[in-house]
Amino acid sequence: MIEERYAAVKRWQQIYIDDFIPFAHGVRQLGIYYNDAVQPDDPYEFVELLKGQQMVASQRNRALQLLAEQVRSDQVLHRGSYK
């Protein structure tokens, strides 16, 4: 039991080092570049750039996934015998 917990802690420590630290560094760099270029009144304004937004490519990908599901569920289209 202790060995499993120790292994889990070690695994998460490595995830933190590999993923979270580089992400935080990137966010900090983005803030520096943004503030230098835009010079906003609020130095934390750049955080708004990190919010999730609907992108045209995401909408297109979702539409293609729906289309693929329709083709898979329609036996005629799925077999390709629609000619």
Side-chain angles (χ1 to χ4, degrees):
M1 185 62 124
I2 290 270
E3 292 84 11
E4 291 173 12
R5 289 184 181 189
Y6 180 76
V9 167
K10 286 304 204 185
R11 190 175 108 248
W12 280 106
Q13 284 176 336
Q14 196 59 49
I15 289 171
Y16 180 79
I17 290 168
D18 293 343
D19 298 328
F20 289 90
I21 290 175
F23 178 75
H25 179 68
V27 169
R28 186 174 59 248
Q29 289 298 111
L30 172 64
I32 291 168
Y33 296 139
Y34 182 86
N35 288 340
D36 287 349
V38 177
Q39 298 179 349
D41 292 332
D42 178 8
Y44 296 101
E45 180 179 300
F46 77 95
V47 174
E48 294 296 316
L49 299 173
L50 303 175
K51 287 185 176 180
Q53 298 176 6
Q54 285 292 334
M55 301 288 198
V56 173
S58 297
Q59 293 171 351
R60 180 205 61 221
N61 291 345
R62 217 173 357 271
L64 286 172
Q65 287 174 337
L66 288 172
L67 183 59
E69 288 173 19
Q70 288 176 347
V71 169
R72 282 191 293 269
S73 65
D74 186 308
Q75 291 301 315
V76 174
L77 291 175
H78 187 73
R79 286 192 313 262
S81 55
Y82 50 89
K83 293 180 182 179

